Amino acid sequence: MKSIAELEEIRKRTLQRINLRREDKESEVRVVVGMATCGIAAGARPVMMAFVDEIGRRHLSQVTVSQTGCIGMCRLEPMADVFLPGEEKVTYVNLDADKARRIVAEHVVNGRPVTEYTIGNAENNKQQA
Amino acid sequence: MEIFRSHVLVCGGTGCTSSGSVKLVDRLNDQLGELGLDKEVKVIKTGCFGLCEAGPVVIVYPEGTFYSHVQTEDVDEIVSEHLLKGRVVRRLVYQDKGDHPSVGKSLSDIEFYKHQTRVALRNCGVIDPENIDEYIAFDGYRALTKALTEMTPQDVIDEVSRSGLRGRGGGGFPTGTKWKFAAASKDDKKYVVCNADEGDPGAFMDRSVLEGDPHAILEAMAICGYAIGADEGYIYVRAEYPIAVKRLNLAIEQAHEYGLLGQNILGTGFNFDLHIRLGAGAFVCGEETALMASIEGHRGEPRPRPPFPAVKGLFGKPTNINNVETYANVAQIILRGADWFRTMGTERSAGTKVFALGGKINNTGLVEVPMGTPLRTVIYDIGGGIPHGRRFKAVQTGGPSGGCIPARLLDVPIEYDSLIEIGSMMGSGGMIVMDEDNCMVDIARFFLDFTVDESCGKCTPCRIGTRRMLEILNRIVEGKGEEGDIEKLERLATTIAKTSLCGLGQTAPNPVLSTLRYFRDEYEAHIRDKRCPAHHCRSLMQYQIIDKCRGCTACARVCPVHAVSGEVRKPHAIDQDKCIKCGACYDACRFDAIIKA
């Protein structure tokens, strides 16, 4: 038999798992990984799995990871965009699993973009987005 | 607990299951396994999404992409494009009818859902109904916890009373009052019963709730048990709902495991247990006294009231009986409060109502709207209007107990009282839309035919009276109507309504009375002019070939009785003596040369 506290525990644990099905996503943070052929070939899959894993490990229920197609800069793959509510998106390039984990820690959790991985930095500080 | 980046929700309601959604789940899992995506993407079978017309329905989260009419062959493309590469499969994305094709639409953008407020259906199509944890995640059993730990039984009853919740089975009796009566009856044993014997033709609201969110009913019944002082309950559900029965059984089992049913629930000392009884499909068993007789193992026949079930119900003990949809609102009322509930709907009809949309309508399916919503919104904005550019004629609400509402009353708000004023009723929520091709006399005949069939035979007005009415209606549609038939129908109808024992008989004449009220001219045309204005009644119409005929012989080839004759490239003709009016020639003609007259 479950106690009230156990019930609450189940609620929190499961909610984190299924929260991505909610339709009210105003406060949501989105991580979008480029998963076209070019991205996958460059290693986007381990990058995405690192995002998913790190976000799960930190119990960040308001963050979703999704995929997108090729945006035309195949030489910079694997790429990912991070959308924080009310802020401009940040595009990261030439990612790997470790970089992905750092982005979760610094950008998603603490709100500080990891400038050294951004597209602006990669393109010699030419400002794009 | 594993975290997945994407959830693929496949509708496992009765509609989508019969169009093959179970195969989709298998195929999805196969394909995901093959591509090594099974650790990233989870496939979940849910309850009904409501848009049954678009089934089988698949939704991919986190994007919320809504795929419709998905076939097994389409699964590979969804997996390899959307789930592997993140590219939405545009050709499968649901499109609003008449809208410009748009892509990546999520549930909340779709016209069908935009006007809806989902309270009773809040979890349908969102959670896995076979997993109690998912129900708990979306605030499941929190209302029960709150009731047991923070509220007295009287508090619970007061909250339900203040919410203004009324019986969703059709009667519209205030739920709080019902609970109060049952609580006031002193006895050592009381029962809570759920009426899930949904019998109206075309109605499937309760089925969808049971299939999509069975725990919501269990939780509400336990709350009711606490409020009225009962420790045992029965769910009376139709045997024709196998998926609902299976999920209810599973839900009860899981709730037992978690100690949410049984002895000493959540350590509070409250005991409550539930049983399922299967109904064998008799319409009269939806009537509460007949339903209880059936649970007891007797023949499903109603008995006179009083005594009401709250005083002397199941096994002679005080019993509270509510419909599925009524219970589906209870947990939300306890959790979010009566004031929240009253923000929806109207003064006298609070909250929302679920309707099963059917008949001549584009978006066949299940919708939930706030009370007070005009019928027009439901039929045109949500339902997407009438197919093939036909003209709306009437909508039938309330099933065999309700009536037909004509086009000029489409702006009437949907409320218990306003629908009764215009000669129909809320009923359990079936809504059948009719266009200009439907004959209103025949519709009345159809519903009366149903009640004659389903009358239990216990009382004379219902057993014999409805049969006499049906005989008159049969005569009218066959072109043998006589002057005075309308008056005879009216007299019979009034008598049956006044003298029948139970709701079945009392409301059986409604379809006839309401069509007589709004479409009397159609009755008169049948009787006096021997003409069916909708060209529907076979005895009163003919198929004729007009001079548009090019002599293509298509009609002659499909005619099963060789009634069509004529030479190639010359106008054909129909031999009316041979014609059986099957309509095959009408469907086969490509030149609009065959008309109904």
Side-chain angles (χ1 to χ4, degrees), chain B residues 78-96:
Chain B
I78 292 177
V79 172
S80 65
E81 282 294 301
H82 191 153
L83 298 174
L84 184 67
K85 295 175 188 158
R87 287 195 290 240
V88 170
V89 184
R90 293 173 188 231
R91 69 176 178 88
L92 295 173
V93 173
Y94 175 78
Q95 285 171 13
D96 283 327

Side-chain angles (χ1 to χ4, degrees), chain B residues 379-405:
Chain B
I379 290 163
Y380 284 95
D381 299 333
I382 300 173
I386 319 298
H388 313 302
R390 312 295 289 174
R391 210 161 42 86
F392 171 88
K393 187 174 198 173
V395 57
Q396 214 277 350
T397 68
S401 312
C404 291
I405 300 166

Side-chain angles (χ1 to χ4, degrees), chain B residues 69 170 180 191 193 198 231 266 323 331 347 476 495 498 505 591:
Chain B
H69 298 297
K180 196 173 76 191
Y191 292 99
V193 174
E198 188 174 45
D231 63 355
L266 293 165
N323 156 272
E347 185 58 35
I476 294 175
T495 312
K498 277 189 190 150
F591 304 102

Side-chain angles (χ1 to χ4, degrees), chain A residues 17 21 23 25 45 48 67, chain B residues 1 40 61-62 84 126:
Chain A
R17 186 167 62 76
R21 288 183 223 156
E23 288 278 331
K25 286 182 178 156
R45 186 151 298 282
M48 187 178 62
Q67 305 159 286
Chain B
M1 182 144 322
E40 301 169 26
Y61 282 106
L84 184 67
V126 179

Side-chain angles (χ1 to χ4, degrees), chain B residues 28-61:
Chain B
L28 274 164
N29 280 326
D30 285 354
Q31 285 289 302
L32 289 171
E34 211 164 283
L35 291 169
L37 293 172
D38 48 344
K39 290 274 178 287
E40 301 169 26
V41 181
K42 188 173 166 63
V43 181
I44 300 115
K45 197 168 73 183
T46 69
C48 179
F49 289 105
L51 195 52
C52 310
E53 188 273 330
V57 168
V58 172
I59 300 188
V60 180
Y61 282 106

